[in-house]
Amino acid sequence: MAGTIRRKITPGDVRSQRGTEESVWVRWLLIGAGGVVASVFLILPLVNVFWQAFSKGGAAYLSAISHPDTWAAIKLTLLVAVVTVPLNSVFGVAAAWCIAKFEFPGKALLTTLIDLPFSVSPVVAGLMFVVLFGLQGYWGRWLQDHNLRVIFSATGITLATVFITFPFVARELIPVMKANGSDQEQAALTLGASGWQTFWRVTLPNIKWGLLYGVILCNARAMGEFGAVSVVSGHITGRTDTLPLRVDKLYNEYNGAAAFAVASLLALLALVTLGLKTALEWRTAALQDRAQAVGSDADKSEADNHPSNAT
Amino acid sequence: MSEKKHRILPGFGLSLGYTLVYLSALVLLPLAGLILRTLHVSPADFWHLATTPRALASYRVTFGASLVAAVADSILGTLLAWILTRYHFPGRRLLDALIDFPFALPTAVAGLTLADIFAPNGWLGHFLVPWGIQGAYSILGVVLALTFVGLPFVVRTLQPVLESLDRDVEEAAAVLGAGRWSTFWRVIAPLLLPPLLTGFALSFARAIGEYGSVVFISGNKPMKTEITPYLIVMRLDENDGFDGALVLAVVLLVFSFVLLGVVNHLERWAGRFQD
């Protein structure tokens, strides 16, 4: 080890001296290999979407985007997200409240059941709603007799999307609420606040970043879901096509440039989602650093609002 | 930590009640409906429909390609997690943010663009296809799409573990004369194994059910590149294929739940020394 002292020591060398870091060659070889993986799987697919979308020029792009059927798909996608995200958010807050703040028998089972939709294939999820509401299923005949439609309509698409995005908000909020504990709520109650006041003024401000994080992920999946929605939609052009289904239809009509133009909207959504998500994570990390630097617990409760990465 | 202490907070009945009603209506009821309806299929028919040659071929494609993709994810994901946590290089934070891109990108778009890149006239297919590497409309395409969707699972389960590894152990190994290579295999790798297994199982489970990204790139050739979820959709479109679709769905569902149990078990096993 003493031999290394002969060299001029730069900050980067300090660690390699301790023998806990690889040689410069290995390091850059690994970074290079990682760069190739990232290029093939992350960067090229993203760039290609926009490249192909504009392959026939800006005018062709605009006409693909402004096609009435595409507009109908945009509206349906937004409608589904506007219904789905608040429903699953309210559920997520309620579920996190009872799971994080109370002890009761069957809690572990409940947590597992909430995560269940993540392990169901989207196609199988869609099929479940066909079984309930389709003509060959339980209530299909009755619905038809009463002139109601669930399958092949926005209702069925929304139900399938709610199922697919069910756990997103809950599983972000449960760890946040657990970390926050319930001391602050108890203090508020002791001081005479009502239950709802405590929730709106104490709990909600504490969980707002975790909630936002869950909402962003839930929304991205709700707008981008394909398999489950594909099974229940019926693919009626201009009526039950969401954006991903519209991409599929254009692609199957050999209209590649238009398919990519519509896909570019969804890729943009993915980029915005990633940007917001990363900003939230950086904010949390900065808060945690500050809390550590100050060495006090003052910021801890807020810094603990860390959004987890696991999905 | 006493249980009674928490009971002072209000809203337990309301929040638990709402959670149970919502969960039952939107998850448990549809799930029960699927299973109860499948019970109408006689055991003989069930066996017949679950083991048609086309169904068996679709299991081979689904499980085989998912397994290969999960192995690829484990290797590539370990590499990415390693360079992200251990090295400093330009663009590191950007790469870190991009890791979640496969989560954020709708699967249909992923399938569309991957198929285009690996098609004979695509950016990569242009070079690969003359060498006989067919990335689109082939079983390799299925593997590529599944590797794409599963990649973040391995990176994101390994990253926190790599960050929290105590450098002292590595230092001790180095001081005792171990080379970097043997330090990695004998000291670091055993610590990475539990999260790696979890990441592997998560990406495997995701791949089994995946539909959107695969249908664009696989070409969906029956007996060759057709995955089970696609076959379910095909059966639904047939006139008397409903029972067939149900049976295949239950087969997939049972497998997913077994895998979920394995993942939960792995996580408990990996966390047995914590707390």
Side-chain angles (χ1 to χ4, degrees):
Chain A
M1 286 276 149
T4 51
I5 293 175
R6 271 184 283 123
R7 285 193 292 137
K8 190 180 153 203
I9 296 174
T10 59
D13 283 341
V14 174
R15 268 209 198 124
S16 61
Q17 264 193 326
R18 303 194 309 193
T20 56
E21 211 156 74
E22 295 74 43
S23 70
V24 178
W25 286 109
V26 175
R27 217 183 302 167
W28 283 102
L29 191 73
L30 291 176
I31 292 173
V36 171
V37 174
S39 306
V40 171
F41 281 106
L42 306 174
I43 298 165
L44 275 185
L46 175 62
V47 177
N48 187 57
V49 172
F50 293 98
W51 184 270
Q52 294 296 338
F54 287 100
S55 62
K56 293 200 172 154
Y61 180 84
L62 282 182
S63 83
I65 299 289
S66 57
H67 191 283
D69 293 339
T70 303
W71 267 110
I74 292 174
K75 276 187 221 153
L76 180 59
T77 302
L78 291 176
L79 173 73
V80 170
V82 160
V83 177
T84 301
V85 175
L87 275 177
N88 280 345
S89 301
V90 172
F91 160 73
V93 173
W97 181 267
C98 64
I99 287 173
K101 309 269 186 199
F102 301 94
E103 295 297 331
F104 54 93
K107 197 160 103 165
L109 177 68
L110 181 62
T111 316
T112 307
L113 287 177
I114 288 172
D115 275 346
L116 198 74
F118 275 159
S119 36
V120 173
S121 170
V123 169
V124 177
L127 182 61
M128 288 176 185
F129 291 96
V130 176
V131 167
L132 288 185
F133 303 110
L135 274 182
Q136 287 168 292
Y138 287 105
W139 302 320
R141 294 272 166 221
W142 186 89
L143 287 168
Q144 196 186 37
D145 292 345
H146 291 77
N147 245 336
L148 295 169
R149 226 167 210 221
V150 175
I151 299 303
F152 305 159
S153 79
T155 316
I157 293 172
T158 309
L159 282 172
T161 308
V162 167
F163 182 97
I164 289 291
T165 60
F166 193 84
F168 276 103
V169 178
R171 71 177 306 165
E172 290 306 330
L173 284 183
I174 292 170
V176 172
M177 278 208 197
K178 267 192 185 151
N180 284 345
S182 36
D183 294 348
Q184 294 184 26
E185 280 86 356
Q186 273 160 5
L189 290 166
T190 313
L191 293 170
S194 76
W196 283 111
Q197 277 175 325
T198 308
F199 174 76
W200 286 108
R201 305 231 181 143
V202 178
T203 308
L204 206 56
N206 272 335
I207 62 166
K208 64 180 180 224
W209 298 109
L211 180 63
L212 182 62
Y213 192 87
V215 163
I216 290 167
L217 294 185
C218 180
N219 178 64
R221 185 67 195 262
M223 288 190 173
E225 178 49 29
F226 180 72
V229 164
S230 175
V231 172
V232 296
S233 122
H235 306 272
I236 309 164
T237 304
R239 293 202 25 219
T240 63
D241 274 345
T242 61
L243 276 177
L245 296 178
R246 178 86 187 131
V247 171
D248 183 42
K249 193 167 274 177
L250 288 168
Y251 180 72
N252 286 327
E253 289 167 356
Y254 299 101
N255 198 346
F260 273 104
V262 179
S264 75
L265 297 177
L266 291 167
L268 213 57
L269 167 75
L271 284 180
V272 171
T273 304
L274 271 190
L276 288 172
K277 182 174 166 302
T278 309
L280 278 176
E281 280 160 9
W282 287 358
R283 185 190 163 278
T284 310
L287 275 175
Q288 264 162 355
D289 285 351
R290 207 176 69 199
Q292 265 164 11
V294 173
S296 75
D297 282 344
D299 283 335
K300 195 169 171 292
S301 68
E302 209 182 352
D304 275 338
N305 281 335
H306 67 280
S308 79
N309 274 312
T311 306
Chain B
M1 285 297 113
S2 79
E3 292 178 22
K4 294 252 163 59
K5 200 180 110 190
H6 296 288
R7 291 275 172 184
I8 304 166
L9 286 185
F12 175 68
L14 178 67
S15 60
L16 183 65
Y18 183 75
T19 300
L20 289 177
V21 169
Y22 191 78
L23 177 76
S24 306
L26 286 157
V27 173
L28 301 183
L29 177 73
L31 185 65
L34 177 76
I35 291 165
L36 287 177
R37 178 63 181 77
T38 311
L39 292 178
H40 289 297
V41 183
S42 74
D45 283 347
F46 188 98
W47 181 252
H48 172 70
L49 289 168
T51 58
T52 60
R54 201 170 157 188
L56 291 176
S58 84
Y59 302 148
R60 270 197 296 277
V61 175
T62 296
F63 295 117
S66 298
L67 198 63
V68 176
V71 170
D73 280 332
S74 304
I75 297 166
L76 303 179
T78 307
L79 172 71
L80 289 172
W82 182 267
I83 64 172
L84 281 173
T85 47
R86 291 292 170 115
Y87 305 145
H88 288 275
F89 54 91
R92 194 184 67 89
R93 298 238 287 185
L94 182 70
L95 178 61
D96 193 24
L98 264 182
I99 293 293
D100 286 323
F101 181 59
F103 282 157
L105 190 72
T107 52
V109 181
L112 182 74
T113 181
L114 283 173
D116 192 70
I117 287 175
F118 287 99
N121 55 355
W123 284 351
L124 293 176
H126 186 67
F127 300 105
L128 296 176
V129 174
W131 289 85
I133 303 171
Q134 295 278 356
Y137 319 119
S138 66
I139 193 81
L140 176 63
V142 181
V143 172
L144 284 169
L146 295 178
T147 306
F148 174 84
V149 296
L151 192 59
F153 287 105
V154 177
V155 183
R156 293 308 188 206
T157 38
L158 279 182
Q159 247 178 334
V161 178
L162 269 171
E163 264 160 21
S164 67
L165 276 192
D166 202 343
R167 284 291 182 99
D168 293 354
V169 210
E170 291 171 49
E171 233 166 275
V175 168
L176 291 171
R180 200 55 197 147
W181 190 244
S182 62
T183 305
F184 180 80
W185 282 109
R186 302 224 178 157
V187 178
I188 304 174
L191 294 168
L192 291 186
L193 191 64
L196 187 61
L197 278 175
T198 305
F200 171 86
L202 285 173
S203 59
F204 185 53
R206 170 70 202 260
I208 297 292
E210 179 56 24
Y211 176 74
S213 60
V214 177
V215 292
F216 284 89
I217 200 172
S218 78
N220 306 309
K221 294 185 228 59
M223 309 297 292
K224 289 205 178 79
T225 62
E226 185 177 62
I227 52 166
T228 309
Y230 186 80
L231 184 55
I232 294 176
V233 173
M234 288 292 99
R235 290 275 183 259
L236 266 180
D237 284 344
E238 288 167 12
N239 274 333
D240 51 357
F242 196 66
D243 284 357
L246 290 174
V247 167
L248 291 171
V250 168
V251 170
L252 264 193
L253 209 54
V254 167
F255 192 84
S256 304
F257 288 168
V258 169
L259 214 55
L260 178 72
V262 171
V263 172
N264 281 343
H265 191 76
L266 274 176
E267 274 171 354
R268 264 205 306 278
W269 177 70
R272 69 198 185 282
F273 299 128
Q274 283 163 8
D275 295 333

